[in-house]
Amino acid sequence: DIQMTQSPASLSASLGETVTIECLASEDIYSNLAWYQQKPGKSPQLLIYYANSLNDGVPSRFSGSGSGTQYSLKINSLQSEDVSIYFCQQNYDSPYTFGAGTKLELK
Amino acid sequence: QVKLQQSGAELVKPGASVKLSCKTSGYTFSTSYMSWFKQIPGQSIEWIGMIYAGDGGTGYNQKFKGKATLTVDTSSSTAYMDLSSLTTEDSAVYFCARLDTMGPKANWFAYWGQGTLVTVSS
């Protein structure tokens, strides 16, 4: 199985700050990576797919980048509604696998 | 619009089985793929498997073979997941999610159900 190592596990940032979350795949996943946002008690919401494509309705302050085994999610100008847990997920190979998650809090 | 409505929370005894449902609307169910996921509260997400509603063909994560069985009822546009021989390790929230097959989001999960909490306890 492809292992997805996500970092950091938790992150505290101030409103308006820029934050970056990283995801490292155990092998090349050729940009077959998505980022999800999950709020407590809710289902995951697709933010980014194919590493850098923004899903419909997702604010443009979210962006994704990366290739090969290294990927990142950047949130510019952090807003209070961005407080959440973020997961990366690969669908290059079955079984689809997720990172452990990054809990983003406000400082 | 696309909707996936999952069945309510379940409290089941160890050793029992449970059948979860995911009723869909807003798209053509019979030509779609549905996946199921497991999330223990406070932990990450695991992919259980996927089913093609067109012919009932399935693919499973090896970890869940023998534990989960996916089926569909195209007449009611509903997907089901049977979980058998339940233990406390099966206590989790289970999500269904539709795989997009067309357009730029093909092969991604843009639509999810709200989740069903399964608690296994005597």
Side-chain angles (χ1 to χ4, degrees):
Chain A
D1 298 2
I2 296 176
Q3 306 303 313
M4 305 300 292
T5 303
Q6 198 173 329
S7 63
S10 63
L11 183 54
S12 182
S14 302
L15 290 174
E17 224 180 291
T18 294
V19 301
T20 301
I21 299 168
E22 311 274 345
C23 195
L24 178 68
S26 59
E27 61 183 83
D28 195 330
I29 57 171
Y30 300 94
S31 296
N32 287 280
L33 182 106
W35 291 96
Y36 294 87
Q37 178 190 65
Q38 187 178 33
K39 302 203 171 179
K42 300 295 186 183
S43 56
Q45 299 296 305
L46 180 67
L47 295 175
I48 302 281
Y49 56 95
Y50 287 125
N52 60 17
S53 295
L54 200 64
N55 192 16
D56 303 331
V58 175
S60 59
R61 63 180 179 273
F62 289 89
S63 63
S65 63
S67 61
T69 61
Q70 296 184 294
Y71 299 87
S72 61
L73 172 70
K74 188 163 88 168
I75 310 172
N76 288 317
S77 189
L78 188 69
Q79 304 295 303
S80 57
E81 60 264 32
D82 300 335
V83 169
S84 188
I85 298 178
Y86 294 86
F87 294 97
C88 60
Q89 178 238 324
Q90 67 81 20
N91 76 345
Y92 175 68
D93 194 22
S94 179
Y96 305 142
T97 47
F98 289 77
T102 295
K103 186 174 185 179
L104 176 58
E105 297 175 317
L106 280 179
K107 194 179 291 183
Chain B
Q1 71 277 30
V2 175
K3 287 187 180 179
L4 282 65
Q5 182 66 40
Q6 295 188 237
S7 46
E10 301 272 4
L11 173 60
V12 292
K13 293 191 182 328
S17 298
V18 69
K19 189 169 187 172
L20 310 184
S21 67
C22 175
K23 183 167 178 58
T24 73
S25 60
Y27 69 98
T28 303
F29 179 77
S30 60
T31 56
S32 68
Y33 292 83
M34 187 72 75
S35 266
W36 290 83
F37 299 83
K38 174 184 180 182
Q39 186 176 36
I40 296 172
Q43 295 188 23
S44 187
I45 303 165
E46 295 181 279
W47 177 73
I48 296 171
M50 182 140 58
I51 185 165
Y52 176 56
D55 61 7
T58 55
Y60 293 93
N61 184 338
Q62 185 69 31
K63 179 178 177 180
F64 292 95
K65 282 186 177 177
K67 171 61 65 179
T69 302
L70 306 185
T71 57
V72 294
D73 176 358
T74 53
S75 67
S76 64
S77 299
T78 303
Y80 297 94
M81 178 171 67
D82 270 291
L83 297 170
S84 63
S85 303
L86 291 165
T87 72
T88 55
E89 293 183 353
D90 297 315
S91 293
V93 177
Y94 292 88
F95 294 99
C96 59
R98 188 193 79 165
L99 185 76
D100 271 40
T101 55
M102 295 191 303
K105 282 175 280 186
N107 299 320
W108 297 105
F109 300 103
Y111 295 96
W112 293 64
Q114 82 277 19
T116 296
L117 176 63
V118 174
T119 304
V120 183
S121 174
S122 55

